[in-house]
Amino acid sequence: MDIYLQKKDILTTRAGCPQIKIIFLIENKSLNNSLSAEHGLSLWLEIGKEKILFDTGSSNKFIQNAKQLGVDLSETKWIILSHGHYDHTSGLAEALKLAPKAKIVLHPNSIVPRYSIEKNNPRKISMPIESKKALLQIKEEQIIWNSGPFRLFQGVGVSGFIPREHLEQDKQNFFEDPKGQRKDIIPDDQTMWINCEDKLILITGCCHAGVLNTLDYLIKITGSPNKPIILIGGLHLYKTPLQNIQKLIQDLKKYNIQTIIPCHCTGDTASQEFSKYFFNTIKAHTGFIWKVEN
């Protein structure tokens, strides 16, 4: 189910962009011993009165973190899955127990088998079977299978498949079979956007489509060629050589990037390099809260 955008689809109120709050429910690192961390990602978004859960981590740990952070997951209206890897989908079944009427937005390829292969050793990284079963147990109309841009509500949506125009900076050893015969380009990788009058906020899970491809496509479909960009999420650069990261940063200077909040699979090296060239680089962690207020 794809809904293509009309021009000037902008999130706004009479007072301007509504209040936006993003809470990191789970991330690779935590600065608070009372909050769990894991190799995974889950974000809670409050956009005006809308409540969105973006990804569900590698386990159910994000749920306990949510309680400590004062987040009521039963209020979830939308669950967005950035792609079908386990570290973004493992908590889906428990999330649906708390919010059984939430609508789920995901690409059809999110549920296919997939593997990471390093030194001829295959590792299964698919969506867990418990999460797939949970999808079968809810009403069909709650599930939105999007392969292209989908609009959640005014000024907010997800990209669906992101075309690959630029070469990747990160070498990805992902396959659809354990023998490594079918390359997985991860077509289900999608980015969420919040298109305000004065800024474009992009939220990525792992950005497997590539940072430049993601920026180009999201700018295109939102009709936002000149707006300041706030880039939040995993950028999958943790295994990328330093020279490739530095080349990427030179390319990123062509965009109007106001803020970068890297996390999860971005890696410390890339995050440190970003902070050298982009003044407003903020390293996120479990429990981190970012707000836009008017």
Side-chain angles (χ1 to χ4, degrees):
M1 183 179 191
D2 305 327
I3 297 178
Y4 291 86
L5 303 183
Q6 298 178 351
K7 290 184 178 180
K8 297 182 180 179
D9 185 21
I10 298 171
L11 178 66
T12 185
T13 65
R14 290 182 180 179
C17 193
Q19 183 182 58
I20 299 170
K21 180 192 290 186
I22 301 176
I23 302 175
F24 284 67
L25 299 182
I26 199 78
E27 212 277 308
N28 290 33
K29 297 180 180 180
S30 176
L31 301 182
N32 185 333
N33 291 333
S34 67
L35 295 173
S36 297
E38 65 184 10
H39 178 76
L41 185 66
S42 181
L43 308 179
W44 175 255
L45 294 93
E46 298 179 4
I47 305 174
K49 295 181 179 180
E50 300 282 346
K51 308 291 177 64
I52 301 170
L53 181 63
F54 181 90
D55 286 344
T56 62
S58 295
S59 70
N60 298 329
K61 292 180 180 179
F62 76 96
I63 293 176
Q64 186 58 43
N65 286 345
K67 292 178 181 177
Q68 293 195 50
L69 292 165
V71 171
D72 184 355
L73 291 173
S74 69
E75 297 180 350
T76 305
K77 184 173 180 180
W78 301 90
I79 298 175
I80 309 299
L81 297 182
S82 65
H83 60 299
H85 287 167
Y86 77 96
D87 50 328
H88 298 259
T89 62
S90 291
L92 179 60
E94 292 300 316
L96 284 170
K97 288 179 182 178
L98 295 171
K101 295 183 180 181
K103 292 183 179 180
I104 303 172
V105 183
L106 72 164
H107 188 283
N109 276 66
S110 294
I111 60 175
V112 303
R114 53 230 319 196
Y115 299 83
S116 172
I117 300 179
E118 298 286 347
K119 298 180 180 178
N120 296 319
N121 294 317
R123 182 170 66 95
K124 194 170 185 178
I125 57 173
S126 316
M127 180 187 294
I129 189 66
E130 293 81 6
S131 298
K132 293 178 183 178
K133 287 180 178 178
L135 290 172
L136 295 174
Q137 294 169 354
I138 62 174
K139 294 179 180 179
E140 185 177 351
E141 56 266 28
Q142 285 180 245
I143 305 177
I144 298 165
W145 303 98
N146 72 303
S147 56
F150 177 77
R151 181 183 187 270
L152 278 67
F153 49 92
Q154 183 179 351
V156 178
V158 291
S159 65
F161 175 73
I162 297 172
R164 317 299 164 91
E165 303 292 340
H166 299 278
L167 292 176
E168 304 300 323
Q169 296 295 338
D170 176 60
K171 185 179 180 181
Q172 303 185 26
N173 296 313
F174 297 124
F175 300 88
E176 294 179 350
D177 66 296
K179 294 183 179 181
Q181 296 176 341
R182 299 193 304 274
K183 184 72 175 177
D184 183 7
I185 67 165
I186 316 179
D188 47 315
D189 177 80
Q190 60 180 349
T191 291
M192 180 178 171
W193 80 77
I194 306 171
N195 190 15
C196 298
E197 285 186 309
D198 61 346
K199 64 181 70 68
L200 177 63
I201 303 169
L202 304 180
I203 302 161
T204 68
C206 276
C207 209
H208 287 299
V211 180
L212 301 180
N213 290 324
T214 297
L215 288 171
D216 281 354
Y217 189 60
L218 270 294
I219 288 170
K220 177 182 178 181
I221 64 175
T222 59
S224 307
N226 301 311
K227 285 182 182 176
I229 295 169
I230 297 169
L231 182 60
I232 302 171
L235 302 177
H236 210 270
L237 297 169
Y238 72 103
K239 290 184 179 180
T240 303
L242 177 59
Q243 62 184 18
N244 290 21
I245 294 172
Q246 291 174 335
K247 171 63 169 58
L248 172 62
I249 287 172
Q250 293 304 312
D251 291 334
L252 287 176
K253 289 181 179 180
K254 302 172 186 176
Y255 299 84
N256 187 10
I257 294 179
Q258 181 184 82
T259 301
I260 298 180
I261 305 178
C263 65
H264 183 43
C265 56
T266 304
D268 290 337
T269 299
S271 296
Q272 290 167 4
E273 290 299 308
F274 285 141
S275 65
K276 293 178 183 178
Y277 296 93
F278 299 99
F279 175 75
N280 202 18
T281 299
I282 306 167
K283 186 67 173 73
H285 52 82
T286 298
F288 176 74
I289 300 174
W290 184 79
K291 296 181 181 180
V292 173
E293 296 181 89
N294 290 314

Short mmCIF file of all heavy atoms in Angstrom, two decimals, residues 195-242:
data_model
loop_
_atom_site.label_atom_id
_atom_site.label_comp_id
_atom_site.label_asym_id
_atom_site.label_seq_id
_atom_site.Cartn_x
_atom_site.Cartn_y
_atom_site.Cartn_z
N ASN A 195 8.33 16.33 8.12
CA ASN A 195 8.57 17.46 7.23
C ASN A 195 7.93 18.72 7.83
O ASN A 195 6.75 18.98 7.66
CB ASN A 195 7.98 17.16 5.85
CG ASN A 195 8.38 18.18 4.80
OD1 ASN A 195 9.32 18.96 5.01
ND2 ASN A 195 7.68 18.18 3.69
N CYS A 196 8.74 19.50 8.54
CA CYS A 196 8.28 20.75 9.14
C CYS A 196 8.51 21.91 8.17
O CYS A 196 9.21 21.78 7.18
CB CYS A 196 9.02 21.02 10.45
SG CYS A 196 8.76 19.76 11.71
N GLU A 197 7.91 23.05 8.48
CA GLU A 197 8.07 24.21 7.61
C GLU A 197 9.52 24.67 7.52
O GLU A 197 9.97 25.10 6.46
CB GLU A 197 7.21 25.37 8.12
CG GLU A 197 5.73 25.21 7.85
CD GLU A 197 4.95 26.44 8.25
OE1 GLU A 197 5.11 26.91 9.39
OE2 GLU A 197 4.18 26.95 7.41
N ASP A 198 10.25 24.54 8.62
CA ASP A 198 11.60 25.09 8.67
C ASP A 198 12.69 24.04 8.81
O ASP A 198 13.86 24.37 8.99
CB ASP A 198 11.72 26.08 9.83
CG ASP A 198 11.45 25.41 11.18
OD1 ASP A 198 10.91 24.29 11.20
OD2 ASP A 198 11.78 26.02 12.22
N LYS A 199 12.35 22.76 8.70
CA LYS A 199 13.36 21.71 8.82
C LYS A 199 12.80 20.38 8.32
O LYS A 199 11.58 20.17 8.28
CB LYS A 199 13.82 21.56 10.27
CG LYS A 199 12.73 21.11 11.23
CD LYS A 199 13.25 21.00 12.66
CE LYS A 199 13.55 22.31 13.28
NZ LYS A 199 12.35 23.15 13.53
N LEU A 200 13.69 19.47 7.95
CA LEU A 200 13.33 18.11 7.56
C LEU A 200 14.04 17.16 8.51
O LEU A 200 15.28 17.13 8.55
CB LEU A 200 13.75 17.83 6.11
CG LEU A 200 13.48 16.42 5.59
CD1 LEU A 200 11.99 16.11 5.57
CD2 LEU A 200 14.08 16.23 4.19
N ILE A 201 13.26 16.40 9.27
CA ILE A 201 13.81 15.47 10.25
C ILE A 201 13.74 14.06 9.67
O ILE A 201 12.66 13.61 9.27
CB ILE A 201 13.04 15.54 11.57
CG1 ILE A 201 13.06 16.97 12.12
CG2 ILE A 201 13.62 14.56 12.60
CD1 ILE A 201 12.09 17.21 13.28
N LEU A 202 14.88 13.39 9.60
CA LEU A 202 14.96 12.04 9.04
C LEU A 202 15.40 11.07 10.13
O LEU A 202 16.37 11.33 10.84
CB LEU A 202 15.94 11.99 7.87
CG LEU A 202 15.68 12.96 6.72
CD1 LEU A 202 16.72 12.79 5.63
CD2 LEU A 202 14.27 12.76 6.15
N ILE A 203 14.69 9.94 10.24
CA ILE A 203 14.97 8.96 11.27
C ILE A 203 15.24 7.62 10.61
O ILE A 203 14.38 7.06 9.94
CB ILE A 203 13.79 8.85 12.26
CG1 ILE A 203 13.55 10.23 12.89
CG2 ILE A 203 14.08 7.82 13.34
CD1 ILE A 203 12.19 10.38 13.51
N THR A 204 16.45 7.11 10.82
CA THR A 204 16.87 5.87 10.18
C THR A 204 17.02 4.75 11.21
O THR A 204 17.31 5.00 12.38
CB THR A 204 18.21 6.05 9.45
OG1 THR A 204 19.24 6.26 10.43
CG2 THR A 204 18.16 7.24 8.51
N GLY A 205 16.86 3.51 10.74
CA GLY A 205 17.13 2.36 11.59
C GLY A 205 18.58 1.96 11.48
O GLY A 205 19.34 2.02 12.44
N CYS A 206 18.99 1.59 10.27
CA CYS A 206 20.40 1.27 9.98
C CYS A 206 20.92 1.96 8.74
O CYS A 206 22.10 1.92 8.46
CB CYS A 206 20.58 -0.24 9.81
SG CYS A 206 20.79 -1.15 11.35
N CYS A 207 20.02 2.54 7.94
CA CYS A 207 20.42 3.26 6.72
C CYS A 207 21.18 2.33 5.77
O CYS A 207 22.19 2.72 5.17
CB CYS A 207 21.28 4.47 7.08
SG CYS A 207 21.17 5.84 5.92
N HIS A 208 20.69 1.09 5.62
CA HIS A 208 21.35 0.14 4.74
C HIS A 208 21.33 0.59 3.28
O HIS A 208 22.15 0.12 2.48
CB HIS A 208 20.68 -1.23 4.86
CG HIS A 208 20.98 -1.95 6.14
ND1 HIS A 208 22.26 -2.31 6.50
CD2 HIS A 208 20.17 -2.36 7.15
CE1 HIS A 208 22.22 -2.93 7.66
NE2 HIS A 208 20.97 -2.97 8.09
N ALA A 209 20.43 1.46 2.93
CA ALA A 209 20.38 1.98 1.56
C ALA A 209 21.53 2.94 1.27
O ALA A 209 21.79 3.28 0.11
CB ALA A 209 19.05 2.70 1.31
N GLY A 210 22.24 3.35 2.31
CA GLY A 210 23.33 4.31 2.16
C GLY A 210 22.88 5.71 2.53
O GLY A 210 21.75 6.10 2.24
N VAL A 211 23.75 6.45 3.18
CA VAL A 211 23.39 7.78 3.67
C VAL A 211 23.04 8.73 2.53
O VAL A 211 22.03 9.44 2.58
CB VAL A 211 24.53 8.37 4.52
CG1 VAL A 211 24.14 9.75 5.04
CG2 VAL A 211 24.86 7.45 5.69
N LEU A 212 23.85 8.75 1.48
CA LEU A 212 23.61 9.67 0.37
C LEU A 212 22.33 9.31 -0.39
O LEU A 212 21.55 10.20 -0.75
CB LEU A 212 24.81 9.68 -0.59
CG LEU A 212 26.15 10.08 0.03
CD1 LEU A 212 27.24 10.06 -1.03
CD2 LEU A 212 26.07 11.46 0.68
N ASN A 213 22.13 8.01 -0.62
CA ASN A 213 20.90 7.58 -1.29
C ASN A 213 19.67 7.97 -0.47
O ASN A 213 18.66 8.43 -1.01
CB ASN A 213 20.91 6.07 -1.49
CG ASN A 213 21.92 5.63 -2.52
OD1 ASN A 213 22.14 6.30 -3.51
ND2 ASN A 213 22.56 4.49 -2.28
N THR A 214 19.79 7.81 0.83
CA THR A 214 18.67 8.14 1.73
C THR A 214 18.37 9.63 1.70
O THR A 214 17.21 10.04 1.56
CB THR A 214 19.00 7.68 3.16
OG1 THR A 214 19.14 6.25 3.17
CG2 THR A 214 17.91 8.09 4.13
N LEU A 215 19.40 10.44 1.80
CA LEU A 215 19.19 11.89 1.77
C LEU A 215 18.58 12.34 0.45
O LEU A 215 17.59 13.09 0.44
CB LEU A 215 20.53 12.61 2.00
CG LEU A 215 21.09 12.55 3.42
CD1 LEU A 215 22.51 13.11 3.44
CD2 LEU A 215 20.22 13.31 4.40
N ASP A 216 19.14 11.88 -0.65
CA ASP A 216 18.64 12.30 -1.96
C ASP A 216 17.16 11.93 -2.13
O ASP A 216 16.35 12.75 -2.60
CB ASP A 216 19.45 11.64 -3.08
CG ASP A 216 20.79 12.32 -3.30
OD1 ASP A 216 21.03 13.37 -2.68
OD2 ASP A 216 21.60 11.80 -4.09
N TYR A 217 16.81 10.71 -1.77
CA TYR A 217 15.45 10.25 -2.00
C TYR A 217 14.45 10.94 -1.08
O TYR A 217 13.36 11.33 -1.51
CB TYR A 217 15.39 8.73 -1.80
CG TYR A 217 14.06 8.13 -2.23
CD1 TYR A 217 13.62 8.25 -3.54
CD2 TYR A 217 13.26 7.44 -1.32
CE1 TYR A 217 12.41 7.70 -3.95
CE2 TYR A 217 12.05 6.90 -1.72
CZ TYR A 217 11.63 7.02 -3.02
OH TYR A 217 10.44 6.49 -3.42
N LEU A 218 14.82 11.11 0.18
CA LEU A 218 13.88 11.75 1.12
C LEU A 218 13.69 13.23 0.79
O LEU A 218 12.58 13.77 0.94
CB LEU A 218 14.36 11.56 2.55
CG LEU A 218 13.88 10.30 3.29
CD1 LEU A 218 12.37 10.35 3.51
CD2 LEU A 218 14.24 9.03 2.54
N ILE A 219 14.74 13.89 0.36
CA ILE A 219 14.61 15.29 -0.08
C ILE A 219 13.67 15.36 -1.28
O ILE A 219 12.81 16.24 -1.37
CB ILE A 219 15.99 15.87 -0.43
CG1 ILE A 219 16.81 16.09 0.85
CG2 ILE A 219 15.85 17.18 -1.21
CD1 ILE A 219 18.26 16.45 0.59
N LYS A 220 13.80 14.39 -2.19
CA LYS A 220 12.97 14.37 -3.39
C LYS A 220 11.50 14.16 -3.07
O LYS A 220 10.64 14.92 -3.50
CB LYS A 220 13.47 13.28 -4.33
CG LYS A 220 12.63 13.13 -5.59
CD LYS A 220 13.16 11.99 -6.46
CE LYS A 220 12.29 11.79 -7.69
NZ LYS A 220 12.80 10.67 -8.54
N ILE A 221 11.18 13.12 -2.30
CA ILE A 221 9.77 12.77 -2.10
C ILE A 221 9.05 13.74 -1.16
O ILE A 221 7.82 13.83 -1.18
CB ILE A 221 9.58 11.32 -1.61
CG1 ILE A 221 10.21 11.11 -0.23
CG2 ILE A 221 10.12 10.34 -2.63
CD1 ILE A 221 9.95 9.73 0.34
N THR A 222 9.82 14.46 -0.32
CA THR A 222 9.18 15.45 0.54
C THR A 222 9.19 16.84 -0.08
O THR A 222 8.60 17.76 0.47
CB THR A 222 9.88 15.52 1.91
OG1 THR A 222 11.26 15.87 1.73
CG2 THR A 222 9.79 14.18 2.64
N GLY A 223 9.86 16.98 -1.22
CA GLY A 223 9.92 18.29 -1.86
C GLY A 223 10.61 19.32 -1.00
O GLY A 223 10.14 20.46 -0.87
N SER A 224 11.78 18.93 -0.42
CA SER A 224 12.47 19.80 0.53
C SER A 224 13.93 20.00 0.13
O SER A 224 14.84 19.60 0.86
CB SER A 224 12.40 19.19 1.93
OG SER A 224 11.08 18.89 2.29
N PRO A 225 14.21 20.63 -1.02
CA PRO A 225 15.58 20.72 -1.51
C PRO A 225 16.51 21.61 -0.70
O PRO A 225 17.72 21.42 -0.73
CB PRO A 225 15.41 21.25 -2.93
CG PRO A 225 14.12 22.01 -2.89
CD PRO A 225 13.24 21.25 -1.95
N ASN A 226 15.96 22.58 0.02
CA ASN A 226 16.83 23.55 0.68
C ASN A 226 16.71 23.61 2.20
O ASN A 226 17.37 24.40 2.85
CB ASN A 226 16.56 24.95 0.11
CG ASN A 226 16.79 25.01 -1.39
OD1 ASN A 226 17.82 24.57 -1.88
ND2 ASN A 226 15.82 25.54 -2.13
N LYS A 227 15.86 22.78 2.77
CA LYS A 227 15.63 22.86 4.21
C LYS A 227 16.82 22.32 5.01
O LYS A 227 17.50 21.37 4.58
CB LYS A 227 14.40 22.04 4.58
CG LYS A 227 13.08 22.68 4.22
CD LYS A 227 11.93 21.81 4.69
CE LYS A 227 10.59 22.42 4.27
NZ LYS A 227 9.47 21.53 4.65
N PRO A 228 17.06 22.87 6.19
CA PRO A 228 18.01 22.25 7.11
C PRO A 228 17.56 20.84 7.45
O PRO A 228 16.37 20.59 7.66
CB PRO A 228 17.96 23.17 8.34
CG PRO A 228 17.43 24.46 7.83
CD PRO A 228 16.49 24.11 6.72
N ILE A 229 18.53 19.92 7.49
CA ILE A 229 18.22 18.51 7.74
C ILE A 229 18.72 18.10 9.11
O ILE A 229 19.85 18.41 9.49
CB ILE A 229 18.87 17.62 6.66
CG1 ILE A 229 18.25 17.92 5.30
CG2 ILE A 229 18.72 16.14 7.00
CD1 ILE A 229 19.00 17.29 4.13
N ILE A 230 17.88 17.39 9.84
CA ILE A 230 18.27 16.77 11.11
C ILE A 230 18.25 15.27 10.88
O ILE A 230 17.20 14.69 10.59
CB ILE A 230 17.32 17.17 12.25
CG1 ILE A 230 17.40 18.68 12.46
CG2 ILE A 230 17.66 16.43 13.53
CD1 ILE A 230 16.35 19.24 13.36
N LEU A 231 19.40 14.63 10.98
CA LEU A 231 19.56 13.21 10.68
C LEU A 231 19.76 12.44 11.98
O LEU A 231 20.73 12.67 12.70
CB LEU A 231 20.75 13.02 9.74
CG LEU A 231 21.06 11.60 9.26
CD1 LEU A 231 19.88 11.01 8.48
CD2 LEU A 231 22.32 11.61 8.38
N ILE A 232 18.83 11.53 12.27
CA ILE A 232 18.83 10.81 13.54
C ILE A 232 18.79 9.31 13.29
O ILE A 232 17.95 8.83 12.52
CB ILE A 232 17.59 11.20 14.38
CG1 ILE A 232 17.56 12.71 14.63
CG2 ILE A 232 17.56 10.44 15.70
CD1 ILE A 232 16.26 13.20 15.26
N GLY A 233 19.69 8.56 13.94
CA GLY A 233 19.57 7.11 13.88
C GLY A 233 20.85 6.40 13.51
O GLY A 233 21.94 6.97 13.46
N GLY A 234 20.71 5.09 13.23
CA GLY A 234 21.85 4.28 12.83
C GLY A 234 22.22 4.52 11.38
O GLY A 234 21.35 4.65 10.52
N LEU A 235 23.53 4.58 11.10
CA LEU A 235 24.01 4.87 9.75
C LEU A 235 24.90 3.75 9.19
O LEU A 235 25.49 3.89 8.14
CB LEU A 235 24.76 6.21 9.73
CG LEU A 235 23.95 7.41 10.20
CD1 LEU A 235 24.81 8.67 10.21
CD2 LEU A 235 22.71 7.63 9.32
N HIS A 236 25.04 2.67 9.90
CA HIS A 236 25.77 1.46 9.51
C HIS A 236 27.14 1.75 8.92
O HIS A 236 27.46 1.38 7.79
CB HIS A 236 24.94 0.62 8.54
CG HIS A 236 25.26 -0.85 8.68
ND1 HIS A 236 26.25 -1.48 7.96
CD2 HIS A 236 24.73 -1.79 9.48
CE1 HIS A 236 26.31 -2.75 8.30
NE2 HIS A 236 25.40 -2.97 9.24
N LEU A 237 27.97 2.38 9.74
CA LEU A 237 29.33 2.72 9.32
C LEU A 237 30.37 2.13 10.27
O LEU A 237 31.55 2.47 10.18
CB LEU A 237 29.48 4.25 9.27
CG LEU A 237 28.60 4.99 8.26
CD1 LEU A 237 28.65 6.49 8.49
CD2 LEU A 237 29.01 4.66 6.82
N TYR A 238 29.95 1.21 11.14
CA TYR A 238 30.86 0.76 12.20
C TYR A 238 32.01 -0.11 11.67
O TYR A 238 33.04 -0.25 12.35
CB TYR A 238 30.10 0.03 13.31
CG TYR A 238 29.58 -1.35 12.96
CD1 TYR A 238 30.23 -2.48 13.42
CD2 TYR A 238 28.43 -1.51 12.20
CE1 TYR A 238 29.75 -3.75 13.14
CE2 TYR A 238 27.94 -2.76 11.92
CZ TYR A 238 28.60 -3.88 12.38
OH TYR A 238 28.11 -5.13 12.07
N LYS A 239 31.87 -0.67 10.47
CA LYS A 239 32.97 -1.45 9.88
C LYS A 239 33.59 -0.72 8.68
O LYS A 239 34.44 -1.28 8.00
CB LYS A 239 32.46 -2.82 9.43
CG LYS A 239 32.12 -3.75 10.57
CD LYS A 239 31.73 -5.12 10.04
CE LYS A 239 31.42 -6.08 11.18
NZ LYS A 239 31.03 -7.43 10.67
N THR A 240 33.17 0.49 8.45
CA THR A 240 33.63 1.24 7.28
C THR A 240 35.01 1.83 7.52
O THR A 240 35.25 2.45 8.56
CB THR A 240 32.63 2.37 6.96
OG1 THR A 240 31.33 1.80 6.78
CG2 THR A 240 33.04 3.12 5.71
N PRO A 241 35.96 1.65 6.58
CA PRO A 241 37.30 2.23 6.74
C PRO A 241 37.25 3.75 6.90
O PRO A 241 36.37 4.42 6.35
CB PRO A 241 38.00 1.85 5.43
CG PRO A 241 37.26 0.64 4.94
CD PRO A 241 35.83 0.86 5.35
N LEU A 242 38.20 4.28 7.65
CA LEU A 242 38.24 5.71 7.94
C LEU A 242 38.24 6.54 6.67
O LEU A 242 37.53 7.56 6.59
CB LEU A 242 39.49 6.03 8.78
CG LEU A 242 39.73 7.50 9.11
CD1 LEU A 242 38.55 8.08 9.90
CD2 LEU A 242 41.03 7.67 9.89
#
